[in-house]
Amino acid sequence: MKRLTGPFTQILPLTGLPLKGPLKDSQLQVVSNGWILSNNGRIIAICTLERLRRDHPSAQIEEVMDERVVLPGFIDCHTHICYAGNRMQDYALRCAGKSYGEIAEAGGGIWDTVTATRGASEETLTELLVRRADRHFSEGVTIIEVKSGYGLSVEQELKQLRAIKAASYITKAALVPTCLAAHIKHSDFGGNRGEYLELISKELLPVIKIEGLAKRVDIFIDNSAFTTEQAIPFLERAKSLEFDIIVHADQFSAGGSSVAVEMGAVSVDHLEATKDRDIKMIANSNTAAVALPGASLGLGMGYAPARKLLNAGACLAIASDWNPGSAPMGDLLMQAAVLGAAEKLSAAEIFAGLTVRAAQALRLDNRGTLAIGAPGNLQLYPANDYREILYNQGKLKPMMKSV
Ligand SMILES: [Zn+2]
């Protein structure tokens, strides 16, 4: 049955935007007083009522709304929301002046979450993840990438990935799983970091493949995690098993992003410490750059050089990094709006970074727009002008609607 939904004050389909480089708001297509024609959950057309009535006289008008600005659902292409416990103690220590490294060295940091996550059953992890994913969905995020990385052993990583799979059947949001067993080496592992990576590439990645638990493999390259020399053979092994590869790069020190780009990573995420020469290299590649302003806010550190990346010609996505340690807030729109003010980003650059360009970071086709044939997952904002959304810096929340 064909349905006509509207009228909407403004519809922003976010179609036709280049996937790389700077964007001006004048490049945004804005359909004023528009209607959406859909069939079986897919969009068929967006334009005025008169035109749609003429071309599709039998379509049924099911909803009438007004004073609404419509956007496609957001895509959060980087989260760690499959975990148990919390890290309020770390947060307090950090605010008392301790660094991320000092807290980790003192046995805090990721360890606390690993211990709590290992202690939780798969069912509990599923339940906690569904709760967080549903909250994200209610705030406009319809596709959520979710990493493992708090198990750090073959068995515990599989438990996390199976919980993500189970949650994907329950939550309204679509989940994209990623294996981040290479988050850090757990201190209870008998060997060195290189040996740990060898173990997971031999004993974990093939099982993930067989069980269809993830198509993506991520690694944290940093002094506190893995060096570029340790990461290269691991990423090569993941590629040979046909996983897409992703790198947590340049968060505290530069170096990871250039290795990631050379190896054909689908995205490099963080980039707070990226040097100018690496910005150029990212921009000239097919690797998407993912800024994570939530981590900058949580750690009280500077932002990724989003403006420079865009000016150089990169594909810039914006994600929440929602995790219990450095980015506990998980409010993607608020974080993107704050990054925009700090880095001087246009609304077009921010909305593209939360939709089509985030879809590119996840290699998802036909997602992040209201193009013809795309799923009709809409965000409806109580506003008359799309600029009100970022102007309210995250306080304006959408109503979710499927057509
Ligand atoms: Zn992360």
Side-chain angles (χ1 to χ4, degrees):
M1 169 74 72
K2 286 181 185 169
R3 294 168 66 185
L4 267 168
T5 311
F8 298 111
T9 316
Q10 291 183 334
I11 303 172
L12 278 73
L14 298 181
T15 47
L17 295 171
L19 287 175
K20 295 176 75 175
L23 293 171
K24 291 196 174 72
D25 287 352
S26 56
Q27 289 173 266
L28 287 170
Q29 187 198 350
V30 180
V31 181
S32 297
N33 301 314
W35 288 69
I36 296 175
L37 180 72
S38 60
N39 192 14
N40 292 328
R42 300 265 158 188
I43 292 171
I44 302 177
I46 296 175
C47 60
T48 60
L49 184 62
E50 297 70 41
R51 177 100 181 265
L52 290 171
R53 283 313 255 168
R54 191 190 67 204
D55 297 345
H56 306 273
S58 63
Q60 207 167 38
I61 296 182
E62 291 206 357
E63 309 278 342
V64 179
M65 303 176 197
D66 47 16
E67 288 193 13
R68 297 279 176 181
V69 173
V70 182
L71 294 179
F74 290 147
I75 299 171
D76 192 346
C77 64
H78 184 134
T79 84
H80 305 251
I81 56 173
C82 182
Y83 66 87
N86 72 65
R87 298 245 292 279
M88 63 179 122
Q89 174 74 5
D90 285 14
Y91 193 82
L93 283 172
R94 220 162 38 235
C95 293
K98 302 283 180 205
S99 72
Y100 186 88
E102 283 170 334
I103 294 167
E105 271 169 35
I110 292 169
W111 302 128
D112 279 358
T113 303
V114 172
T115 305
T117 304
R118 284 182 168 189
S121 67
E122 189 182 312
E123 292 69 31
T124 302
L125 283 181
T126 304
E127 206 182 303
L128 291 167
L129 171 55
V130 167
R131 212 178 295 165
R132 294 179 192 121
D134 283 349
R135 194 198 97 184
H136 228 20
F137 183 89
S138 74
E139 294 178 353
V141 185
T142 51
I143 300 176
I144 309 169
E145 187 263 11
V146 186
K147 299 176 197 299
S148 66
Y150 296 126
L152 306 185
S153 70
V154 172
E155 179 197 340
Q156 291 288 338
E157 285 289 313
L158 286 173
K159 180 180 80 178
Q160 261 202 292
L161 289 165
R162 288 175 187 139
I164 296 169
K165 190 172 189 174
S168 72
Y169 296 118
I170 306 170
T171 175
K172 287 182 202 157
L175 304 184
V176 177
T178 302
C179 172
L180 180 60
H183 202 178
I184 46 172
K185 177 186 82 67
H186 198 279
S187 49
D188 67 0
F189 179 78
N192 62 33
R193 293 175 185 182
E195 287 162 346
Y196 172 70
L197 291 180
E198 211 177 304
L199 174 89
I200 54 176
S201 47
K202 279 193 183 142
E203 294 187 18
L204 177 62
L205 299 189
V207 183
I208 292 172
K209 201 86 206 169
I210 290 163
E211 287 194 30
L213 293 171
K215 294 177 178 162
R216 300 157 41 87
V217 168
D218 195 343
I219 185 168
F220 185 18
I221 297 180
D222 187 72
N223 292 339
S224 64
F226 300 99
T227 63
T228 51
E229 291 74 25
Q230 289 161 346
I232 290 169
F234 174 72
L235 291 172
E236 271 167 358
R237 173 83 178 136
K239 269 173 71 175
S240 73
L241 290 168
E242 294 179 347
F243 285 101
D244 279 346
I245 58 169
I246 296 94
V247 175
H248 276 68
D250 307 348
Q251 184 179 11
F252 303 108
S253 55
S257 64
S258 56
V259 170
V261 169
E262 271 170 30
M263 298 199 66
V266 295
S267 73
V268 278
D269 303 29
H270 270 297
L271 309 176
E272 293 88 339
T274 302
K275 301 258 191 276
D276 287 351
R277 61 164 197 277
D278 294 334
I279 288 176
K280 238 181 232 162
M281 193 172 171
I282 296 166
N284 291 330
S285 74
N286 287 324
T287 303
V290 181
L292 303 169
S296 302
L297 289 167
L299 296 172
M301 293 173 68
Y303 296 103
R307 182 71 268 151
K308 280 186 174 181
L309 281 156
L310 285 164
N311 287 350
C315 171
L316 180 85
I318 304 167
S320 73
D321 197 21
W322 189 0
N323 73 72
S326 58
M329 180 205 297
D331 189 326
L332 180 59
L333 177 59
M334 179 271 178
Q335 293 164 0
V338 168
L339 178 73
E343 282 288 311
K344 315 299 173 212
L345 308 181
S346 69
E349 287 165 338
I350 294 173
F351 289 146
L354 295 171
T355 56
V356 272
R357 290 179 172 187
Q360 172 68 9
L362 294 177
R363 293 291 190 267
L364 296 176
D365 294 331
N366 203 19
R367 290 289 183 278
T369 72
L370 300 178
I372 290 167
N377 298 323
L378 314 179
Q379 298 188 68
L380 312 182
Y381 284 89
N384 287 311
D385 185 310
Y386 71 87
R387 291 173 298 185
E388 285 179 55
I389 298 170
L390 295 170
Y391 170 65
N392 278 279
Q393 297 188 301
K395 286 297 270 184
L396 211 59
K397 296 296 180 197
M399 187 178 103
M400 303 307 289
K401 169 110 194 124
S402 293
V403 295

